[in-house]
Amino acid sequence: MDTKEIRHLYLRAGFGIGYDEMTNLASKTRKELVDSLFSASATFTPLEVDLSEFDEYFNAKPGELKSMYNNKELQELKKKSREKVKELNYAWIERLAAGNEVLREKMTLFWANLFVCKDNNIRHIQQYNNTLRSYALGNFGEFIKAVAKEPSMSKYLNNKQNVKESPNENFARELMELFTLGIGNYTEQDIKESARAFTGWSFRKDGSFFLRRKQHDYGEKTFMGKTGNFDGDDIIDIILEQKQCARFICTKIYKYFVNPVINSDHTEELASLFYKDYDINKLMYHIFTSEWFYDKKNIGVKIKSPVELLTGIRMTVPVSFEKKRQLLYLQKMMGQTLLEPPNVAGWKGDKNWIDSNTLMFRLKLPSLILNDGNIDMAEKGEPQDSFEDYYKINRKKPMFFKTSVGWDNFEKEYAKPTPAELQEHLVVTELNKGTRAFLSGLKTVNIREHIVQLMSLPEYQLC
Amino acid sequence: MNRRKFIKNGLLASSTAFMPAFVRASGIFSEGNEGEKRVVLIQLAGGNDGLNTIVPYRNELYYKNRPEIGIKKTDIIRITDELGFNKNLAPLKKLYDNGYLSVINNVGYPNPNRSHFRSTDIWQTAADSNKYFDSGWIGRYIEEKGGKPWTGIELDDSLSLIMKGKAVNGIAAKNPAVLFRNSQTPYFKKTLEYYEDDETGNQNLDYLYKIMIEAESSAKYIYQTSRIFKSKLDYPKNPFGRQLRTTAEFINSGLKTRVYFISMGGFDTHTNQVVRQNRLLGLYAGAMEVFVADLKQSNTFDDTLIITFSEFGRRVKQNAAKGTDHGTANNVFITGGNLKVKGFYNEPPDLTNLDKNGDLIHTVDFRSIYSTVLKEWLQTDDKVVLKNSFERLKFI
C-alpha cells in the first residue's frame, strides 16, 4: 500500500504511525494491513486504576453504610473518588500514547463522545469506560442495552429517578435524540411511553444492574406504532428496527473517521450495511477497505482533537510526564478533558476545537513538551473551588513542564528519512505554498529542532 | 485572505496606537468610538448566596431558615424597609446613593438546573434549560455584529462558552503583554509572514490560517492600544482586582471592544458560608469601587454597563454545615451611569412561595436582561442573538 495511504489509515484508525513501522508495512496489501489492524484490537484490555481502598465501601450492603462511616468519612471518600477519576484520566491518556489495540482505543474515544456520561464515582465510571471499550467493535444493539444499564448512565441521565409513579423522561429523550435517532425522528408520546419501559432500572453500589420490580411499569406501551408490555430492551430493539438509527450512527462515524463534510452516498452505503446486523467491526472494516476512504479529498482535512494532537506528538517522540497533573493542564487549555465532557451532547469537534487562544496554545504545544518549555497561562478554576484555588494563587508562575523526552530513541528511528521525507511523513496535509517556501528556506541545525518546527505548523493540526 | 489585505487590516486595527493619548482623550480625533456603548459582565462563579447579599432583614422566615448563618441586623446596611446590604458591600452603598446601581431581584429561568456546569452553560448560552446551544450569547453577538475576535474579551487565559460563536469567537486576554508575546513566537510569526492564499480547497486549513491571522492581529491590537494607558488608581491586590484593573485599562485606552467577561470564583459556600462569603463580597465591592472610579476619571463610565450575576442562588434553608446548597433564583446587579431605574428594580424574594425543593421561584427571566442590554444598550437585534423573543425591562 502507498505510504500516503498507510499514514492516512493509521491517523484515522489510530493516532499515527512511526516511520520504521510504516516502512515495514509498505510492502503489504491494503487487505493485509487492515486485517492486522483489526487483529491487534481483537483483544480487550480493561483500563483500571487501583481501587482497593474503596472495596469495603462498594461492597457494603444497602443500609450498612451509615453504621460503617460517619458524614466526614463519607465526604473524604467522595473526595478520594474524585482524585481517582483524575488518575483514570491520566491512565487513559497514557494508554493512548502506548499504542496498543489502537483501533479499539480510537473507537472507545469515539463512543465516549456519543454515549456521553460523567460520574465522580470512580468504580462506576471506570466500569462505564470499560463497557465502552469492550463493546467498541461489537454489536451495537448489545452495546446500547449495556450502556442503558450502567450505573453512571443511570445517574447522569436521571434514570435512577425514573419510577412507575413518576416517570423521568430524561434518559429516554437523550437515548433517542443523542444516542440513536436524532431530533425529529420520534414523537413526544414515544418519549413518554418509552420512559415507562425503563422505570425501575436500578443498580447496586458494586455496579451491577437489577430491576426494582415494584417501581417498574409492566403495563402496555405504544412505541413507534408498536404495542406491547415493553421493557427497556424491547424499546431498544424497536429503535434498531428504524433504519434512521443505522443512518444516524453511520453519519457520526463518517464525520469522525472519514470527513467532517458528509458524502450522503457513502453514509447511505454504510447505513444499509450497518442496518443488516449492527456489527460495528464489520462496518469499520468496510470503511477502511473502501476505495473512497483513501480519496485525496479525505486526507488531511480533519482538525485533530486535542487528545489526537497530543497523542500524535508522543507517538513520534516518546515523552513521559513527570507530573501527571500537567496532562490535565494540557487537556484543559485545549478544551478536551477526558472523563469531563462539557454536557450530554459531547464535544462538537472539528472547527470547534479552535479559537484564537486554543490555536496559539496548540501551535506552541510541541515546543512546550519537547523543549522543556515554560508557560505563563493558567487553566480555568472550577466552580466549586475556593477563591484561592480558583485563581491558583498558590501555584508557582510560570509553570515549568517536567517531561522526559526520549530523543535517543527518536533519533535512531528518524535519522533515516531525509528532511523532505520527514516532512511528508509528519504533515499529511498539502502545505500552503508560502509555508513550503518558508520551510525550504530554513536552516535547520538538527533533527530535534526540525521536528519541533514541523509540529508547530498549522498543517500539523490536521490529519 | 492575501497578505496585502492582512497587512492593511492589521495596520487599521492598530492605527490608534500611534496617536498620542491626549489627542484621543480630547475627542478631537473621532474614531467613531463615541457613543458606542460597552458591557462588562461579571459572573460570581460557584453560586453566590443572594439572600445573604441583599438581606430581607425584616422577614422572620429568613432568620427561621437560617438560625446559624442569617446575617444579623447589626451587620446590615439598611436600604429599604425590607432589604439591606450585607455590610461587606459597603462600597456598593456609595454607588447606590449616587444612583449608579440597580438591583433586579428574583432572576432565574423556568425549570432551573442546580448543576454548576449546566446552569453556567444556560446563563452563558441563553438556552432553555432543556436545550443545548453550542455557542454563547456574546459569541453570537460578535457574529451578528460582524466583529473581530477582540469585540469580546474574556479576562482569562482560555475562552468560556459565553464568548464562542458558531464560526467567530471572542478572545481571552488576561494579560495583553503575555498574549502578544505568545502570538509572536518565531514559528507563528514566520509562518504568517510567508502565508499565501493559494486556495488549496482544504477548508479546514484555510480556517486555521484565518484564525491565526486574526489571533495575531487581535493580540497586537489589544496590546499596542492598551499599553499606553496605565491605571493610576489603587486596585485591591488580588486576582479579581487585577481582572478589573486590566479591564479598566482596556476600556480607558480606547479599545473598541464591546463586551468584557470576568469570572470571579469562590462562591460555592456549602460550608462555613458567612465568613467565606463576607470576605468575597468585600473583595468584590472593594474592587468594583475602584473600577467605577477609574472609569469615571477617564469619562468612560457613562458608556459602560456592568452586570453582575451568578449561575444560581442558594437554598433558603441552611444546611448542617453552616452553609447552603445549590438553589435557583438570585439577584443581578446592574451598575452604570445612565440607569433609568435606580435602586431595587422589583419586589424582594418571596420566602413563603418556594418550589418543592425549598428554593426561590424566579419572576424575571435572565434573558429579559440580556435582550434589554442587546437592544437598548448595544443596539443589536436581540431576537437573532438570543434565538428567541424575551420581554424587555426598563432599567436602561
Side-chain angles (χ1 to χ4, degrees):
Chain A
M1 195 156 102
D2 179 47
T3 52
K4 213 171 151 104
E5 293 181 353
I6 300 178
R7 268 179 233 124
H8 176 62
L9 173 65
Y10 273 83
L11 278 169
R12 299 302 181 82
F15 302 92
I17 187 168
Y19 192 81
D20 275 352
E21 197 186 344
M22 188 195 64
T23 330
N24 293 337
L25 293 176
S27 56
K28 302 231 186 279
T29 64
R30 187 180 291 169
K31 185 175 184 312
E32 284 173 328
L33 263 161
V34 177
D35 281 343
S36 69
L37 191 65
F38 275 78
S39 62
S41 283
T43 47
F44 157 69
T45 313
L47 184 70
E48 285 169 333
V49 293
D50 181 5
L51 296 182
S52 46
E53 66 188 295
F54 297 95
D55 276 344
E56 247 182 56
Y57 175 80
F58 285 117
N59 293 324
K61 297 207 175 28
E64 272 184 358
L65 274 187
K66 283 218 164 76
S67 50
M68 286 167 66
Y69 303 99
N70 64 36
N71 242 346
K72 193 163 183 216
E73 286 166 336
L74 282 175
Q75 289 303 324
E76 259 308 299
L77 275 170
K78 284 204 174 119
K79 190 170 173 212
K80 276 197 194 152
S81 179
R82 286 196 294 271
E83 287 304 308
K84 279 287 173 179
V85 174
K86 285 197 187 117
E87 210 183 293
L88 188 64
N89 171 294
Y90 307 148
W92 195 357
I93 295 273
E94 296 291 31
R95 169 174 287 210
L96 298 180
N100 301 316
E101 297 170 3
V102 282
L103 176 61
R104 184 174 291 279
E105 287 303 326
K106 196 76 187 272
M107 294 304 305
T108 305
L109 265 183
F110 168 78
W111 294 118
N113 200 37
L114 183 65
F115 301 145
V116 178
C117 190
K118 187 167 140 175
D119 191 358
N120 279 328
N121 180 316
I122 180 59
R123 178 147 172 173
H124 296 165
I125 199 64
Q126 179 172 284
Q127 179 178 299
Y128 185 80
N129 190 259
N130 286 313
T131 298
L132 296 176
R133 188 169 281 100
S134 77
Y135 283 96
L137 290 163
N139 176 285
F140 181 75
E142 303 294 300
F143 190 3
I144 273 261
K145 287 176 186 170
V147 163
K149 297 186 176 82
E150 284 289 328
S152 291
M153 179 56 74
S154 179
K155 285 178 270 176
Y156 189 63
L157 291 183
N158 314 110
N159 206 41
K160 191 174 165 207
Q161 287 102 314
N162 186 17
V163 295
K164 189 164 106 184
E165 304 79 46
S166 68
N168 180 304
E169 295 173 7
N170 202 11
F171 175 71
R173 181 183 305 279
E174 306 307 359
L175 171 68
M176 285 185 269
E177 181 177 331
L178 296 173
F179 298 169
T180 55
L181 298 168
I183 216 165
N185 293 297
Y186 48 87
T187 64
E188 280 300 308
Q189 192 58 17
D190 284 331
I191 292 179
K192 280 192 160 55
E193 294 288 276
S194 56
R196 293 171 53 208
F198 287 103
T199 48
W201 278 32
S202 194
F203 58 89
R204 297 182 195 90
K205 252 189 10 289
D206 67 5
S208 55
F209 168 82
F210 77 104
L211 177 69
R212 285 188 198 276
R213 293 174 185 282
K214 289 213 179 94
Q215 292 175 351
H216 178 69
D217 181 340
Y218 284 95
E220 206 177 67
K221 298 123 189 139
T222 301
F223 178 69
M224 302 215 155
K226 292 200 162 166
T227 305
N229 306 77
F230 302 135
D231 72 0
D233 286 343
D234 299 320
I235 294 294
I236 288 170
D237 284 333
I238 299 173
I239 289 174
L240 295 171
E241 283 169 19
Q242 319 300 313
K243 190 166 186 200
Q244 172 57 20
C245 180
R247 190 176 295 120
F248 181 78
I249 299 298
C250 289
T251 304
K252 297 251 171 196
I253 285 194
Y254 191 90
K255 276 189 169 159
Y256 191 89
F257 289 95
V258 185
N259 197 317
V261 178
I262 308 280
N263 173 313
S264 49
D265 287 338
H266 297 158
T267 49
E268 273 312 295
E269 178 189 320
L270 295 177
S272 300
L273 172 70
F274 195 49
Y275 185 58
K276 291 202 185 106
D277 52 15
Y278 283 99
D279 184 331
I280 302 167
N281 203 68
K282 211 181 272 180
L283 173 70
M284 300 313 296
Y285 194 87
H286 180 92
I287 292 173
F288 296 134
T289 51
S290 291
E291 199 54 51
W292 48 256
F293 176 72
Y294 299 94
D295 192 325
K296 191 164 177 260
K297 67 166 170 298
N298 294 328
I299 298 185
V301 296
K302 193 182 117 145
I303 295 180
K304 292 174 186 167
S305 67
V307 165
E308 282 172 315
L309 178 67
L310 175 65
T311 307
I313 294 173
R314 299 178 76 187
M315 289 203 100
T316 308
V317 186
V319 188
S320 71
F321 287 78
E322 286 165 44
K323 283 191 172 170
K324 294 276 180 265
R325 216 206 158 282
Q326 292 183 333
L327 284 171
L328 196 60
Y329 169 79
L330 294 177
Q331 292 171 75
K332 287 199 185 292
M333 291 308 291
M334 293 191 284
Q336 180 185 29
T337 306
L338 296 182
L339 302 172
E340 275 184 45
N343 57 53
V344 67
W347 290 289
K348 197 130 198 263
D350 198 53
K351 291 185 176 67
N352 291 270
W353 295 123
I354 306 294
D355 59 53
S356 298
N357 303 89
T358 56
L359 184 56
M360 287 199 286
F361 191 91
R362 289 167 64 126
L363 293 170
K364 205 179 154 89
L365 182 66
S367 57
L368 198 59
I369 64 179
L370 299 177
N371 278 344
D372 273 341
N374 63 64
I375 185 119
D376 40 22
M377 298 196 282
E379 75 271 34
K380 284 191 187 306
E382 297 290 321
Q384 52 282 33
D385 283 347
S386 67
F387 185 81
E388 282 70 26
D389 286 344
Y390 192 81
Y391 287 105
K392 297 174 189 36
I393 283 172
N394 298 314
R395 195 197 271 176
K396 257 195 287 255
K397 278 183 193 229
M399 192 193 317
F400 283 89
F401 261 79
K402 289 196 168 345
T403 57
S404 309
V405 186
W407 283 120
D408 291 335
N409 282 332
F410 166 74
E411 280 175 26
K412 260 187 231 138
E413 187 175 350
Y414 286 86
K416 296 170 207 141
T418 64
E421 283 170 336
L422 186 59
Q423 184 184 300
E424 201 195 325
H425 182 68
L426 278 187
V427 184
V428 296
T429 310
E430 203 180 300
L431 284 174
N432 175 269
K433 204 160 61 171
T435 308
R436 209 178 309 138
F438 162 53
L439 277 181
S440 57
L442 272 180
K443 280 187 173 43
T444 44
V445 178
N446 59 43
I447 192 175
R448 298 186 191 187
E449 212 185 275
H450 191 210
I451 207 103
V452 174
Q453 280 166 0
L454 289 174
M455 290 177 170
S456 303
L457 294 172
E459 283 82 352
Y460 185 72
Q461 298 293 319
L462 302 165
C463 69
Chain B
M1 182 192 300
N2 65 37
R3 244 185 307 158
R4 267 197 226 110
K5 257 197 223 156
F6 152 57
I7 292 169
K8 190 167 158 220
N9 282 356
L11 277 179
L12 266 181
S14 54
S15 62
T16 57
F18 302 105
M19 215 191 320
F22 76 88
V23 173
R24 233 181 299 133
S26 66
I28 295 170
F29 195 104
S30 168
E31 310 168 286
N33 211 8
E34 273 124 51
E36 282 246 40
K37 303 194 185 327
R38 69 192 75 77
V39 180
V40 177
L41 296 164
I42 299 174
Q43 177 174 354
L44 304 179
N48 177 45
D49 182 44
L51 286 175
N52 276 15
T53 306
I54 305 290
V55 187
Y57 67 93
R58 281 265 168 79
N59 195 326
E60 276 313 300
L61 280 174
Y62 168 72
Y63 289 105
K64 203 164 164 202
N65 276 289
R66 296 179 166 204
E68 291 172 296
I69 68 166
I71 305 291
K72 299 189 187 39
K73 292 185 172 70
T74 46
D75 291 333
I76 289 171
I77 304 170
R78 298 178 191 205
I79 306 287
T80 66
D81 280 339
E82 295 179 89
L83 297 172
F85 286 1
N86 178 311
K87 74 169 185 214
N88 292 278
L89 287 183
L92 244 55
K93 171 71 163 64
K94 293 190 216 148
L95 295 180
Y96 180 93
D97 290 339
N98 285 329
Y100 295 154
L101 184 63
S102 183
V103 178
I104 309 180
N105 290 310
N106 312 316
V107 183
Y109 54 91
N111 300 311
N113 190 300
R114 293 165 183 76
S115 138
H116 292 294
F117 303 101
R118 190 64 199 115
S119 204
T120 295
D121 278 358
I122 289 166
W123 274 80
Q124 291 194 358
T125 60
D128 291 341
S129 75
N130 59 358
K131 296 222 158 50
Y132 298 94
F133 289 171
D134 43 41
S135 60
W137 71 286
I138 298 302
R140 298 197 296 272
Y141 160 73
I142 297 171
E143 236 157 5
E144 174 64 12
K145 207 172 166 0
K148 298 260 171 257
W150 46 257
T151 307
I153 291 182
E154 177 166 353
L155 280 294
D156 204 325
D157 286 326
S158 59
L159 276 187
S160 297
L161 186 52
I162 195 174
M163 284 281 169
K164 297 201 183 160
K166 285 236 167 276
V168 177
N169 304 301
I171 186 165
K174 185 165 88 187
N175 180 327
V178 166
L179 182 72
F180 180 64
R181 190 165 62 236
N182 285 329
S183 77
Q184 297 294 303
T185 56
Y187 305 135
F188 193 101
K189 219 172 141 48
K190 279 287 175 196
T191 317
L192 279 185
E193 261 177 48
Y194 280 80
Y195 172 69
E196 271 180 53
D197 189 1
D198 58 2
E199 278 153 44
T200 54
N202 186 333
Q203 251 190 39
N204 271 340
L205 185 60
D206 292 339
Y207 179 74
L208 289 180
Y209 273 104
K210 168 176 167 285
I211 300 293
M212 269 178 89
I213 290 167
E214 278 181 3
E216 208 243 349
S217 86
S218 297
K220 186 184 270 178
Y221 169 60
I222 294 170
Y223 175 62
Q224 290 183 341
T225 310
S226 66
R227 71 200 284 220
I228 305 185
F229 180 93
K230 283 291 161 245
S231 175
K232 291 189 180 59
L233 297 185
D234 228 336
Y235 281 82
K237 288 174 176 46
N238 64 65
F240 177 66
R242 280 193 281 281
Q243 285 171 309
L244 280 186
R245 183 204 190 104
T246 305
T247 307
E249 288 173 353
F250 285 159
I251 293 173
N252 292 338
S253 67
L255 264 189
K256 293 200 180 98
T257 302
R258 295 285 137 238
V259 185
Y260 295 92
F261 175 66
I262 298 166
S263 185
M264 177 182 174
F267 289 88
D268 192 26
T269 49
H270 284 279
T271 62
N272 274 323
Q273 173 167 306
V274 176
V275 167
R276 291 170 59 195
Q277 190 203 25
N278 280 355
R279 177 175 163 253
L280 291 172
L281 292 178
L283 290 178
Y284 166 76
M288 278 289 277
E289 185 181 21
V290 185
F291 182 55
V292 170
D294 209 348
L295 297 185
K296 292 204 77 193
Q297 226 175 63
S298 293
N299 282 318
T300 51
F301 182 56
D302 282 351
D303 289 337
T304 307
L305 197 64
I306 307 164
I307 301 173
T308 307
F309 68 98
S310 203
E311 69 262 35
F312 43 65
R314 301 184 84 86
R315 185 141 306 147
V316 176
K317 191 170 174 169
Q318 69 169 78
N319 64 27
K322 301 206 180 121
T324 48
D325 298 328
H326 301 176
T328 51
N330 205 347
N331 39 54
V332 171
F333 296 168
I334 314 280
T335 310
N338 261 319
L339 302 176
K340 281 213 194 102
V341 176
K342 303 163 202 221
F344 291 113
Y345 186 85
N346 57 354
E347 76 286 354
D350 184 352
L351 300 187
T352 62
N353 187 24
L354 303 176
D355 73 9
K356 64 175 161 62
N357 286 307
D359 290 320
L360 295 168
I361 298 178
H362 79 285
T363 58
V364 175
D365 189 310
F366 72 91
R367 286 152 310 171
S368 286
I369 299 177
Y370 290 1
S371 91
T372 312
V373 170
L374 285 165
K375 186 80 181 145
E376 310 295 344
W377 192 256
L378 295 173
Q379 327 263 267
T380 320
D381 189 335
D382 57 303
K383 290 186 214 18
V384 167
V385 174
L386 299 179
K387 301 200 205 194
N388 208 338
S389 221
F390 297 94
E391 198 187 310
R392 272 182 236 125
L393 304 176
K394 298 181 169 54
F395 56 91
I396 43 170

